[in-house]
Amino acid sequence: MESNHLQRQIAYTRKSLFDQGFLDEQFIQLEDLEDDANPNFVEEVVTLFYRDSTRLILNIEQALEKSPLDFTKLDNYMHQFKGSSSSIGARKVKIECTQFREYCKAGNAEGCTRTFQQVKKEHAALRKKLEAYFQLVRQAGPAETASHSK
Amino acid sequence: MENGFSSPRTDAFPAGLRVLVVDDDPTWLKILEKMLKKCSYEVTTCCLARDALDMLRGKKDGFDIVISDVNMPDMDGFKLLEQVGLEMDLPVIMMSVDGETSRVMKGVQHGACDYLLKPVRMKELRNIWQHVFRKKIHEVKDIESHEGGPDEFDDGHLLSAGDTNLAKKRKDLENREHDDQEFSDPSAAKKVRVVWSVDLHQKFVNAVNQIGLDSEYQPGFLFNTLICIFIHKNISYFILCPSGDIWLSYLLFTTFSCHLNNACIEPLCVILLAEVGPKKILDLMNVPWLTRENVASHLQKYRLYLSRLQKQNEPKTSFGGIKLPDFSYKDPPGSFGLQSSTTMHQNNAANTNFGYSGNKILVQDVGSQIHGGDLEGIVSFLPAAEPKKALIGDVPDPQKTSSSSLMGTTHSLESLRPDVNYASFEFTIPRQHSWSGETPVKEQLKQEHEPYLLLGDGYTNPPLPIPHHIQVHRLRSVPSIYPRTSITERDKLGPIETRPLCTEYKSNHVTSISPVGRTVDLFSVQADSHIINPQAFEAISTITSSTKSRNFDQNCVNNLESVQQNIIPGSGSALLSSHGDVQLFSLQGCGYTENIGLQNIEFSDYNDSELVTELPSHLYDGLRFNCDYLDLMEYPTVDQGLFIA
């Protein structure tokens, strides 16, 4: 059936997000929080995250344009960004963030710049995937979201 | 009923726990809110620390626990933590994505009851109620021990399991409330734990501000500055300027110097630092059931908090943020108290541990002799002109003081320039000060605790009459009172003359002791590095040090640094009279010399035997020294001038 098919598609998409390492356990925690009072909780959180993180990315970008680089500031920004990313379980993004911070501590400007590109890349990639995912979820309707199993 | 849980709850504790979450990350704020709601807690979110504080203050007892992120743009999470602890005494949980040991340790040091790592799990949040409960239990225990009544707990025990917690909590809250407001039982024997509610803390801050205002200066620093303005007829006149800072003291000094010049009196400059005392605060607060000890301990916390603020604000902690031109601290800021020990002859161990604690150095003044009464309580900066670093500009050796000691001071106001580095309160405390023999002082000094140089009773008193015992010594080699590190808590300083020196020293409390009154709150020097007012030390040192070699040790400086001094700006007279705290102290012969039980006292040779070696007892009053603080004492800052012979 359509709905079954949709459900399977949702389940499959979701699973692959985990299998491919885009998401980690935190995402599941968010799903657990979803209830009747907040049926779209996860999507709301993700939306909130992407709105806020865009601002953080901009900060970092601006800081990276300065010369010489203020590694402390960069580290602080990235710390913030990493914290935020951890809220939705953005695993790959977090990994790149950690790498970036390593370069910051080492004062490696080139490493920072390079890694930041990776951060942005992962950030954008996850966004696309999640958008697609939530689209399916919305399509399936509220009843379907409840069928998500932990 | 109990005001603890204002919202009616159908479930038993911990449901309905009122949590305030503070986090600048909106995503986390949303998630945490949801998670806490799932735990059946009552959640309030806040993304700015300031807003959180406003909320906490606005809704007295409106929250049970605070959860805060460590990294926030508008205010450091640790600062918020401290504030909440000071004002509201609520349990605070810190959160961060950073789990480094140092960070966690910092959190614990600042008083966090827990430190969670992000991403936070539900199960961790479910258990936060234990912190609330634990606190309640401790409070109840305090109350119980205080009141000795088993009643508080009986109900709890009798109730069924389900209700027990709730009932107990209610009781706790009730008791707490009761304790806060109705406890006026002067069972001094039992120390009931006082909960510093928002209101109470606000009263406290108001009182502190009031003192500061009285000093014509906004309090930022809780220290009094003692300045010896001049010496007249062998009497040194000091002013204790409450809530002053060095700079203001300097201003005060310069203001007075004009008067002095007009009166043909050579001004000196001595800076003594003392602190705003708990007694004064207590009086201003007008809370009947509150004791001075309560205020003193709270003051200590507050000072710590302020000093941390300062340290953050000023890379160099010069006197509480005052940057004096020639501030030459040997030790970079941040060192409380005497750090430097370089100059200190002795020990140093103490030095390092100075913190400031509400000590006050009260120098009592010798009021009557002051010119025009204005000078009462004028604290003059005694330039440490001395051999070591001239504290204040260069103070030429005044004729008055043969020795000099006082910090070299003397007299010339002119020589004191604004850029006198008070800062260097490194006043060179003349190590070498040797107290000119004041026997009595010496004897007193023998007492275990080092006397505070300044004792005065009360800063709270309005212009003090010249202490009887205090003699103003020309700034001669004022024997420096070197605090002996032997001061131990609660040691009383031997009265210099007849007065008992600081009275009991409360560990970590600096309360003014002294028979005279509250005032001199000597810094409780705590061996364990609790804060001792460096200022106090300085002051003391200043007062005591007088011999020529005043070298104020770094300690002094340090003290200054760490001491937030409030310098009273403006007219000395204003200062003097306006504050009870301003006191003129005439230190008597710094008789503190080695005799004083202070270990660290090194008395340099006092040249001036004229100096009255006896410090008025009230000078010592309130001097509480911890050994540590004694280092300060080494500095014969209070030298001759300080001592009123």
Side-chain angles (χ1 to χ4, degrees):
Chain A
M1 290 195 288
E2 164 106 12
S3 103
N4 269 349
H5 172 72
L6 193 52
Q7 281 180 54
R8 266 182 286 133
Q9 215 182 340
I10 291 171
Y12 175 79
T13 313
R14 181 179 171 278
K15 189 168 180 300
S16 73
L17 282 172
F18 284 101
D19 290 346
Q20 290 169 24
F22 285 100
L23 294 175
D24 62 25
E25 215 242 346
Q26 176 64 15
F27 195 82
I28 300 175
Q29 294 275 318
L30 294 184
E31 289 176 329
D32 280 349
L33 289 174
E34 224 166 50
D35 55 15
D36 292 340
N38 296 91
N40 302 314
F41 184 70
V42 188
E43 188 179 357
E44 286 166 13
V45 173
V46 171
T47 309
L48 194 53
F49 165 72
Y50 272 101
R51 200 184 317 148
D52 190 53
S53 59
T54 308
R55 175 183 62 90
L56 292 173
I57 285 187
L58 203 58
N59 286 345
I60 299 176
E61 248 166 2
Q62 285 172 353
L64 279 173
E65 279 161 20
K66 300 206 157 82
S67 178
L69 289 187
D70 183 350
F71 289 108
T72 312
K73 205 175 190 185
L74 280 172
D75 189 64
N76 281 341
Y77 281 144
M78 189 46 82
H79 178 93
Q80 252 184 295
F81 183 77
K82 184 179 173 192
S84 213
S85 305
S86 69
S87 70
I88 64 162
R91 185 176 163 275
K92 284 195 177 183
V93 177
K94 266 206 311 189
I95 290 171
E96 296 301 331
C97 289
T98 308
Q99 185 61 51
F100 182 93
R101 292 189 79 196
E102 290 299 314
Y103 281 124
C104 273
K105 291 195 182 99
N108 184 338
E110 201 258 319
C112 281
T113 325
R114 212 177 349 111
T115 310
F116 186 62
Q117 300 310 314
Q118 283 298 108
V119 169
K120 280 198 289 185
K121 191 168 142 241
E122 291 298 339
H123 182 255
L126 178 63
R127 182 188 212 148
K128 279 205 178 63
K129 288 203 183 291
L130 285 174
E131 274 174 357
Y133 171 72
F134 284 120
Q135 209 167 6
L136 286 176
V137 168
R138 262 181 272 123
Q139 248 183 293
E144 298 305 322
T145 61
S147 71
H148 281 166
S149 54
K150 319 291 168 241
Chain B
M1 89 158 180
E2 55 285 270
N3 26 18
F5 287 52
S6 50
S7 53
R9 294 174 306 126
T10 48
D11 312 322
F13 176 81
L17 197 69
R18 295 157 309 161
V19 187
L20 176 65
V21 187
V22 191
D23 196 332
D24 62 311
D25 186 332
T27 317
W28 270 114
L29 213 53
K30 187 182 172 83
I31 297 174
L32 288 165
E33 183 183 27
K34 185 68 188 168
M35 286 169 89
L36 290 164
K37 282 199 173 136
K38 276 243 151 154
C39 299
S40 309
Y41 295 155
E42 239 182 68
V43 190
T44 312
T45 60
C46 201
C47 58
L48 288 175
R50 308 231 169 259
D51 291 350
L53 277 173
D54 290 341
M55 259 194 254
L56 286 164
R57 287 171 185 150
K59 237 164 106 184
K60 180 192 153 137
D61 277 349
F63 297 99
D64 297 308
I65 189 166
V66 179
I67 302 182
S68 170
D69 188 67
V70 168
N71 305 83
M72 289 192 287
D74 69 324
M75 187 196 278
D76 185 25
F78 294 121
K79 262 198 243 167
L80 175 65
L81 167 58
E82 261 180 0
Q83 276 292 74
V84 175
L86 264 178
E87 293 184 32
M88 295 112 206
D89 198 27
L90 287 177
V92 182
I93 294 179
M94 303 305 289
M95 285 188 300
S96 180
V97 73
D98 179 2
E100 260 172 57
T101 308
S102 59
R103 298 290 274 174
V104 179
M105 195 173 298
K106 196 174 176 194
V108 175
Q109 278 169 347
H110 282 68
C113 51
D114 207 350
Y115 195 106
L116 303 179
L117 292 188
K118 284 179 172 176
V120 182
R121 293 281 167 263
M122 274 294 291
K123 55 187 180 219
E124 291 167 321
L125 287 184
R126 271 195 211 281
N127 278 342
I128 63 173
W129 62 266
Q130 61 177 286
H131 305 293
V132 179
F133 190 60
R134 192 179 295 119
K135 237 182 169 84
K136 292 279 186 285
I137 290 199
H138 290 157
E139 281 163 19
V140 174
K141 272 191 190 148
D142 285 342
I143 296 169
E144 196 193 26
S145 72
H146 171 73
E147 293 179 4
D151 334 322
E152 295 90 46
F153 291 94
D154 285 353
D155 293 352
H157 297 317
L158 295 171
L159 293 174
S160 60
D163 297 337
T164 301
N165 285 346
L166 172 55
K168 187 159 192 173
K169 225 169 177 259
R170 288 184 191 171
K171 255 318 179 171
D172 292 351
L173 290 164
E174 276 176 271
N175 288 336
R176 184 164 72 149
E177 284 305 309
H178 167 84
D179 191 35
D180 266 357
Q181 280 134 29
E182 300 172 272
F183 176 70
S184 52
D185 178 3
S187 49
K190 305 256 173 127
K191 203 154 107 165
V192 178
R193 163 133 170 227
V194 168
V195 176
W196 283 86
S197 61
V198 176
D199 276 358
L200 201 59
H201 181 75
Q202 199 50 56
K203 281 192 182 140
F204 170 84
V205 173
N206 290 343
V208 169
N209 291 354
Q210 183 67 39
I211 293 174
L213 283 173
D214 287 345
S215 321
E216 298 175 17
Y217 181 73
Q218 287 310 310
F221 313 120
L222 301 171
F223 294 95
N224 293 330
T225 305
L226 179 65
I227 308 172
C228 172
I229 287 293
F230 67 101
I231 294 180
H232 177 68
K233 292 185 183 163
N234 281 358
I235 294 182
S236 300
Y237 291 83
F238 295 90
I239 302 174
L240 178 64
C241 310
S243 308
D245 58 33
I246 295 293
W247 182 246
L248 292 175
S249 297
Y250 171 74
L251 295 178
L252 173 59
F253 177 67
T254 50
T255 305
F256 273 99
S257 64
C258 300
H259 291 287
L260 295 172
N261 286 332
N262 290 344
C264 301
I265 291 178
E266 278 187 341
L268 314 172
C269 185
V270 169
I271 297 180
L272 297 171
L273 302 170
E275 293 179 17
V276 161
K279 192 70 169 33
K280 173 106 182 171
I281 297 174
L282 181 66
D283 289 346
L284 285 174
M285 279 176 74
N286 196 24
V287 176
W289 52 269
L290 198 63
T291 70
R292 196 177 69 212
E293 286 72 20
N294 300 141
V295 175
S297 72
H298 192 72
L299 183 62
Q300 198 177 50
K301 280 202 264 178
Y302 193 57
R303 283 214 176 89
L304 256 179
Y305 159 72
L306 288 180
S307 81
R308 255 176 236 165
L309 263 186
Q310 249 173 34
K311 282 188 191 162
Q312 283 162 21
N313 297 337
E314 291 254 28
K316 108 178 159 150
T317 32
S318 29
F319 300 123
I322 294 184
K323 296 213 186 250
L324 294 180
D326 277 312
F327 205 67
S328 50
Y329 279 130
K330 282 200 196 151
D331 280 357
S335 39
F336 254 75
L338 328 176
Q339 299 189 355
S340 43
S341 13
T342 43
T343 40
M344 289 260 229
H345 292 305
Q346 358 210 111
N347 74 22
N348 346 19
N351 297 344
T352 43
N353 291 333
F354 286 108
Y356 42 83
S357 43
N359 297 325
K360 290 183 177 243
I361 298 189
L362 297 180
V363 173
Q364 285 241 340
D365 142 15
V366 202
S368 40
Q369 314 210 357
I370 298 176
H371 275 280
D374 300 325
L375 296 182
E376 225 179 331
I378 296 181
V379 177
S380 56
F381 290 88
L382 286 180
E386 73 245 37
K388 296 223 190 172
K389 349 176 175 192
L391 258 184
I392 299 185
D394 38 308
V395 176
D397 228 21
Q399 334 138 50
K400 282 191 194 172
T401 53
S402 47
S403 44
S404 64
S405 34
L406 265 186
M407 332 224 235
T409 50
T410 44
H411 330 300
S412 9
L413 264 191
E414 296 76 340
S415 52
L416 292 182
R417 291 177 303 234
D419 52 38
V420 162
N421 16 350
Y422 296 114
S424 25
F425 283 129
E426 284 187 21
F427 289 136
T428 30
I429 294 184
R431 291 268 176 84
Q432 306 147 353
H433 247 349
S434 45
W435 287 91
S436 36
E438 321 227 86
T439 338
V441 177
K442 284 190 179 172
E443 284 172 5
Q444 291 170 348
L445 292 180
K446 280 210 174 112
Q447 317 221 344
E448 332 189 293
H449 297 291
E450 285 304 359
Y452 286 89
L453 301 180
L454 318 174
L455 304 178
D457 163 23
Y459 38 94
T460 52
N461 299 330
L464 307 178
I466 298 180
H468 17 299
H469 304 273
I470 300 181
Q471 304 170 18
V472 178
H473 283 272
R474 292 192 305 160
L475 295 183
R476 288 297 205 90
S477 44
V478 173
S480 43
I481 297 182
Y482 289 98
R484 299 232 183 211
T485 40
S486 54
I487 292 188
T488 52
E489 354 180 85
R490 311 233 178 188
D491 279 61
K492 295 189 182 201
L493 295 177
I496 302 222
E497 281 191 347
T498 52
R499 316 256 184 101
L501 292 182
C502 45
T503 49
E504 63 266 9
Y505 176 73
K506 274 172 181 216
S507 48
N508 294 343
H509 263 308
V510 179
T511 40
S512 31
I513 326 174
S514 62
V516 198
R518 23 190 192 156
T519 56
V520 181
D521 271 349
L522 290 181
F523 302 108
S524 37
V525 176
Q526 299 181 356
D528 55 340
S529 75
H530 224 245
I531 31 196
I532 292 188
N533 268 325
Q535 282 176 345
F537 292 120
E538 282 267 12
I540 301 190
S541 340
T542 342
I543 297 182
T544 48
S545 57
S546 43
T547 49
K548 8 254 204 122
S549 52
R550 301 193 257 241
N551 1 327
F552 286 82
D553 282 336
Q554 190 79 45
N555 291 353
C556 287
V557 175
N558 294 330
N559 290 338
L560 290 177
E561 282 179 71
S562 44
V563 173
Q564 297 171 351
Q565 308 143 8
N566 298 321
I567 295 188
I568 301 182
S571 54
S573 49
L575 286 174
L576 298 178
S577 14
S578 54
H579 319 274
D581 296 357
V582 172
Q583 300 153 357
L584 271 181
F585 297 97
S586 43
L587 294 180
Q588 302 200 338
C590 318
Y592 306 84
T593 40
E594 297 93 306
N595 296 337
I596 301 181
L598 305 169
Q599 313 162 355
N600 298 322
I601 297 186
E602 287 189 24
F603 293 99
S604 37
D605 10 53
Y606 291 113
N607 312 333
D608 191 357
S609 36
E610 297 182 4
L611 291 174
V612 173
T613 48
E614 293 184 356
L615 282 181
S617 52
H618 41 256
L619 284 185
Y620 291 102
D621 280 347
L623 282 178
R624 298 191 190 196
F625 289 93
N626 256 349
C627 330
D628 295 344
Y629 148 88
L630 290 185
D631 284 341
L632 262 185
M633 296 299 262
E634 284 199 61
Y635 300 113
T637 41
V638 179
D639 261 346
Q640 315 151 344
L642 298 181
F643 291 96
I644 298 178

